[in-house]
Amino acid sequence: MPAERSRPRFPAGPPVASFTLHGIPVSRGIAIGRAHLLAPAALDVKHYLVAEEQVEAEVSRLQQALAAVHKELQTLWNELPKDAPTELGAFIDVHALILSDPMISEAPLDIIRQRHYNAEWALLTQIDELSAQFDEIEDLYLRERKADIQQVAERVLKVLLGTEQMLPKSDGGEDEFQPQMIVVAHDISPADMLQFRDRSFIGFVTDVGGQNSHTAIVARSLDIPAAVGMSGASTLIDQDDWLIIDGEAGVVIANPSALVLEQYRERQQAAARAKKKLQKLKKTPAITKDGTEITLLANIELPDDCPAAMEAGANGVGLFRSEFLFMGRNSKIPSEDEQFEQYKKAVVAMKGRPVTIRTLDIGADKPLDQSEQTALNPALGLRAIRYCLAEPQIFLTQLRAILRASAFGKVRILIPMLAHAFEIDQSLAMIAQAKAELREQNIKFDDGVDVGAMIEIPAAALALPMFVKRMDFLSIGTNDLIQYTLAIDRVDYEVAHLYNPLHPAVLQLISMTIAAGHKAGIDVAVCGEMAGDVKLTRLLLGMGLREFSMHPAQLLSVKQEILNSDLARIMPQTRKIMRSMEPNVIADAVEQLQLM
Ligand code: PEP
Ligand code: MG
């Protein structure tokens, strides 16, 4: 019975100490699985599980790489000039010895066989283990041999890179050997997070991070439980520890007792049943009790997310975070054709529904290259449209690619982080230039493509006439709007408790934006995380919001809330909330809204 087999088995053997960690909840649900610790270096290679029948092929891929490096070292040795310093020959000898040591030549092969890791991951897991042992050696000379081991590993990884391909990955779940893995790391970048799309990764725990950091947002989009800001988790939790993540409470229980485990399994099953029930709403239009139709859109990171958006019954894509096409590529910018193919893929996948492509929002916690972060305060630095206007060629290339995709369906362009009129005007001028170039080259595009602004800087929300005059639609980025209004870094867990969507200043800015859009007769959406929070659905409806954009996984729960909402009752209560400047009054009144 596959269902039984995919269920994680509780380990037999001596009891291990159980402990609980508290952090910041990021993604709902309960995950039960084994801890897989990721050292920072390990994030530089791909991580996936190989299917049972491919394990021996993966073992042989690593064996071949080890043999190739042996040969490489042999050639180096043979070609040493006669007058080369003797240390050089000794250095090659040491590397050859390391390579032949069973700790390198055999242990990683066992990891592939036992854990089904891909070759690169298996090798790095073993290297991390050895490095930790070397760190404890007192003798300085011996301790420094760690660097040699790492250099040898780098050689092998380089060879493996050339044979990366090819072997089908495990589809997770069905395989008796398939572990259900919970990734534990000090931190994971948003780009690295994307590589854990394999179904065998069932949860994430990190030491640092905020609820609306981009890493957290990607975890939510993967629809698996996650908790961040778990200070010390990556040092307290051991490899292969059994873990429960309670994504609702932001709690991680390590090595739980059988009783606790059983309780969580029951909760997990109840949640799965509720989720299944929600599927029935897939085709139901999102209409309030009093007959107001609401548009529910999806946020996506990559075109591959579109099937999930369609599956959830989204009316279109409200936010395609295009920067994910640019990240994790060592600053190599995707070409116009490459981008065009990706945008077109999303447009075609959405089958005529609108796709809102946000132009490059690089910077802050989404650097092009992790190692190139130099800004003193990146969230206030050369981010998003500021970066694009400073790099007009990159911007123009992207605009051309987006416009070309508009020939294949309904596309809207969304510009992030606008604050100044000249930024709007320059963006529009660049779009006009991209159109003129395409026209000149007889390349098809939709001349009527709508252009909208993200309202995510308080200055923008306070200068709305400047925007509604120039733009076709607005989309409120509440994640950044909260960050910049309250002066809280959304990535910094030490100030995470101050990050409050219900702060009266935040509510005023959102409400003003919705009202200004209505007055000007242009659409206003919310595409920040507030749009997918069912506890806030009625408040946003009461403020007049009619377009919500969120991760596909949240869409049906929000729809259910809309179907049960009556605007005639919600509106007066919302007006009361908007008149208050008292956090407690607001919080209580928002709770009351749920009961109406
Ligand atoms: C936002 O700021 O709310 C938003 C949707 O954009 P991002 O989270 O990508 O910054
Ligand atoms: Mg933003």
Side-chain angles (χ1 to χ4, degrees):
M1 281 198 314
E4 260 313 298
R5 275 202 282 139
S6 64
R7 199 168 129 132
R9 280 160 302 167
F10 203 54
V16 222
S18 174
F19 58 92
T20 303
L21 298 167
H22 295 260
I24 302 166
V26 156
S27 195
R28 285 179 301 163
I30 289 159
I32 303 172
R34 279 172 40 192
H36 284 260
L37 295 178
L38 288 187
L43 291 174
D44 292 334
V45 301
K46 291 214 171 96
H47 298 69
Y48 55 88
L49 294 170
V50 289
E52 168 71 8
E53 61 277 15
Q54 295 295 343
V55 164
E56 283 312 313
E58 190 68 357
V59 165
S60 119
R61 189 164 80 91
L62 182 50
Q63 281 170 327
Q64 281 167 24
L66 293 165
V69 173
H70 252 303
K71 216 162 149 198
E72 231 175 73
L73 291 174
Q74 187 73 51
T75 312
L76 267 180
W77 208 94
N78 291 342
E79 290 175 0
L80 270 182
K82 289 216 162 37
D83 54 352
T86 44
E87 293 86 8
L88 218 54
F91 169 78
I92 296 173
D93 281 341
V94 167
H95 279 206
L97 274 173
I98 290 174
L99 196 62
S100 316
D101 193 290
M103 293 304 268
I104 300 286
S105 62
E106 281 166 27
L109 307 181
D110 291 340
I111 294 179
I112 300 178
R113 289 196 179 103
Q114 284 158 14
R115 299 190 189 166
H116 292 199
Y117 287 7
N118 59 308
E120 292 86 344
W121 187 8
L123 180 64
L124 269 187
T125 303
Q126 176 63 8
I127 298 297
D128 286 342
E129 176 109 340
L130 288 176
S131 299
Q133 289 172 15
F134 269 80
D135 283 341
E136 283 170 13
I137 296 178
E138 276 187 21
D139 184 295
L140 184 65
Y141 174 78
L142 283 178
R143 199 163 66 224
E144 283 177 353
R145 299 286 61 79
K146 181 175 124 178
D148 289 310
I149 292 184
Q150 283 168 338
Q151 283 160 9
V152 169
E154 268 163 36
R155 274 187 185 276
V156 182
L157 285 175
K158 224 184 249 168
V159 177
L160 282 171
L161 214 68
T163 61
E164 189 191 34
Q165 77 238 300
M166 78 232 160
L167 300 177
K169 297 170 188 180
S170 160
D171 65 355
E174 293 296 309
D175 181 346
E176 173 94 44
F177 283 91
Q178 195 64 63
Q180 304 250 290
M181 295 191 285
I182 293 180
V183 176
V184 181
H186 175 67
D187 194 12
I188 305 177
S189 77
D192 286 326
M193 187 63 117
L194 275 185
Q195 66 172 323
F196 297 112
R197 289 174 164 238
D198 186 311
R199 274 176 42 215
S200 335
F201 298 101
I202 55 158
F204 295 93
V205 179
T206 60
D207 295 342
V208 296
Q211 190 166 38
N212 287 323
S213 67
H214 284 92
T215 300
I217 288 173
V218 178
R220 266 200 288 281
S221 80
L222 299 177
D223 194 20
I224 49 180
V228 300
M230 286 272 170
S231 191
S234 69
T235 40
L236 291 168
I237 295 170
D238 283 327
Q239 179 79 8
D240 291 332
D241 269 357
W242 281 84
L243 299 180
I244 295 174
I245 303 181
D246 181 341
E248 191 81 41
V251 165
V252 170
I253 306 169
N255 305 312
S257 68
L259 186 68
V260 170
L261 189 73
E262 205 42 51
Q263 284 168 351
Y264 271 98
R265 278 204 178 122
E266 275 165 23
R267 280 179 57 186
Q268 202 176 27
Q269 283 157 4
R273 283 194 297 273
K275 200 167 169 183
K276 205 165 161 203
K277 244 184 180 172
L278 274 179
Q279 294 300 320
K280 294 188 184 139
L281 299 180
K282 216 176 96 179
K283 293 203 171 114
T284 312
I287 300 177
T288 59
K289 274 184 172 170
D290 51 296
T292 304
E293 181 145 12
I294 308 296
T295 304
L296 295 182
L297 302 163
N299 289 357
I300 62 167
E301 272 88 43
L302 292 171
D304 286 345
D305 298 329
C306 287
M310 290 294 282
E311 187 57 28
N315 300 118
V317 169
L319 174 64
F320 177 169
R321 287 186 164 96
S322 69
E323 54 277 8
F324 280 86
L325 298 175
F326 292 66
M327 288 152 57
R329 301 169 49 108
N330 296 323
S331 297
K332 195 175 156 279
I333 306 287
S335 69
E336 178 182 320
D337 280 347
E338 234 176 299
Q339 288 185 58
F340 161 66
E341 289 301 337
Q342 296 296 315
Y343 303 141
K344 180 179 157 192
K345 189 173 169 191
V347 171
V348 171
M350 291 311 293
K351 303 195 165 114
R353 291 164 181 78
V355 176
T356 312
I357 304 175
R358 180 175 71 184
T359 58
L360 189 57
D361 183 1
I362 214 73
D365 65 332
K366 291 180 289 189
L368 263 188
D369 183 347
Q370 211 71 19
S371 59
E372 276 179 12
Q373 274 283 44
T374 51
L376 273 181
N377 198 335
L380 300 182
L382 200 63
R383 195 193 144 179
I385 191 60
R386 302 168 183 186
Y387 175 90
C388 287
L389 292 177
E391 297 282 352
Q393 206 44 55
I394 293 178
F395 194 29
L396 200 59
T397 303
Q398 178 175 41
L399 291 171
R400 283 176 54 104
I402 297 175
L403 285 166
R404 282 171 60 191
S406 73
F408 296 85
K410 174 117 184 90
V411 167
R412 308 196 302 173
I413 298 176
L414 180 59
I415 319 276
M417 285 274 288
L418 289 165
H420 304 271
F422 77 84
E423 289 171 337
I424 309 176
D425 294 338
Q426 284 181 7
S427 303
L428 293 174
M430 295 285 280
I431 294 171
Q433 184 182 339
K435 283 183 176 179
E437 288 179 8
L438 294 177
R439 227 176 265 122
E440 181 90 353
Q441 294 169 281
N442 271 328
I443 299 176
K444 278 200 209 126
F445 64 94
D446 172 10
D447 201 15
V449 123
D450 281 346
V451 183
M454 294 277 298
I455 302 295
E456 51 186 346
I457 297 181
L462 292 167
L464 290 160
M466 198 166 94
F467 285 82
V468 295
K469 196 166 111 189
R470 292 169 167 87
M471 288 296 186
D472 300 312
F473 67 97
L474 304 177
S475 191
I476 309 174
T478 50
N479 308 335
D480 278 316
L481 190 61
I482 299 167
Q483 158 166 265
Y484 294 124
T485 304
L486 303 180
I488 292 155
D489 189 335
R490 60 196 261 197
V491 181
D492 187 347
Y493 73 101
E494 296 201 75
V495 287
H497 61 290
L498 300 174
Y499 189 97
N500 179 13
L502 293 181
H503 189 291
V506 172
L507 296 184
Q508 294 297 327
L509 294 173
I510 296 173
S511 171
M512 280 160 52
T513 308
I514 297 170
H518 286 181
K519 194 164 161 219
I522 64 174
D523 289 342
V524 181
V526 167
C527 65
E529 298 297 291
M530 280 178 79
D533 185 343
V534 280
K535 291 195 278 317
L536 302 176
T537 305
R538 292 189 179 185
L539 176 65
L540 292 171
L541 283 173
M543 286 182 184
L545 190 72
R546 300 294 175 258
E547 241 182 67
F548 293 64
S549 192
M550 69 203 80
H551 292 302
Q554 277 127 275
L555 206 133
L556 291 176
S557 310
V558 171
K559 188 189 277 188
Q560 188 178 41
E561 192 69 5
I562 290 169
L563 293 170
N564 290 326
S565 297
D566 183 350
L567 288 186
R569 302 178 68 160
I570 289 174
M571 305 281 268
Q573 174 78 355
T574 309
R575 278 196 289 273
K576 214 168 95 191
I577 293 170
M578 296 312 298
R579 279 196 299 272
S580 176
M581 286 286 158
E582 278 307 320
N584 291 343
V585 176
I586 294 175
D588 286 350
V590 170
E591 246 174 60
Q592 287 297 316
L593 268 181
Q594 319 302 314
L595 309 172
M596 293 187 136

